[in-house]
Amino acid sequence: MFAEMYGIAVFQINPTKYKSISSGFRVLLKEQGVRGFFRGWVPTLLGYSAQGACKFGFYEFFKKYYSDIAGPENSAKYKTLIYLAGSSSAEVIADIALCPFETVKVRVQTRYGFARGLSDGLPKFVRSEGALGYVLLFD
């Protein structure tokens, strides 16, 4: 998370410009100043907060839901499988909650000038890609 939070994702975008982490830090400092190290921190904070809230909240929901479907005897017998299914279901929802924030963060960090942050980046992204555009991204 440190690497993503501080813009190190851009090193993968242009390997000839960013030869190592230390040279990447120097280039980033020279081109964007200290502020460049903090680009994308709001979407990271909010995205992982949403993911955590969904993961733990929906895990409890699905654990009870699947236990109720299985019934008392089977839920005790297959407790591990029920917890695994609840965890997996919750993770899918949590990751969907994270995706829009991660998409905007990566765009802000790797496409200089795209946006200043989440407040102008998310509306800009939705206008250009659609409300579910982050699901179909492969760039």
Side-chain angles (χ1 to χ4, degrees):
M1 186 155 121
F2 173 83
E4 293 174 352
M5 191 166 155
Y6 290 99
I8 296 175
V10 297
F11 301 154
Q12 299 170 358
I13 301 299
N14 190 345
T16 57
K17 183 177 182 180
Y18 306 105
K19 299 189 184 324
S20 67
I21 289 180
S22 58
S23 76
F25 277 122
R26 284 192 297 275
V27 170
L28 187 62
L29 186 62
K30 180 181 172 189
E31 291 183 357
Q32 298 180 28
V34 174
R35 291 184 72 154
F37 289 101
F38 297 97
R39 293 178 63 81
W41 73 270
V42 172
T44 299
L45 175 70
L46 296 178
Y48 282 98
S49 296
Q51 184 196 36
C54 288
K55 188 182 301 185
F56 293 110
F58 280 108
Y59 170 68
E60 292 300 324
F61 169 80
F62 283 117
K63 187 170 68 171
K64 181 176 179 344
Y65 181 73
Y66 294 147
S67 292
D68 290 346
I69 289 173
E73 187 178 313
N74 285 330
S75 67
K77 185 177 178 181
Y78 299 109
K79 185 166 116 173
T80 301
L81 287 175
I82 288 172
Y83 288 6
L84 177 64
S87 175
S88 300
S89 300
E91 186 65 37
V92 168
I93 293 172
D95 290 344
I96 290 170
L98 172 66
C99 280
F101 297 100
E102 273 296 295
T103 301
V104 171
K105 179 199 74 157
V106 169
R107 292 271 175 104
V108 166
Q109 290 178 341
T110 60
R111 296 184 184 175
Y112 193 73
F114 169 74
R116 290 184 320 273
L118 182 66
S119 61
D120 61 331
L122 188 59
K124 192 175 194 178
F125 178 78
V126 170
R127 277 193 306 275
S128 68
E129 305 288 337
L132 295 176
Y134 66 88
V135 176
L136 305 173
L137 287 180
F138 295 103
D139 64 282

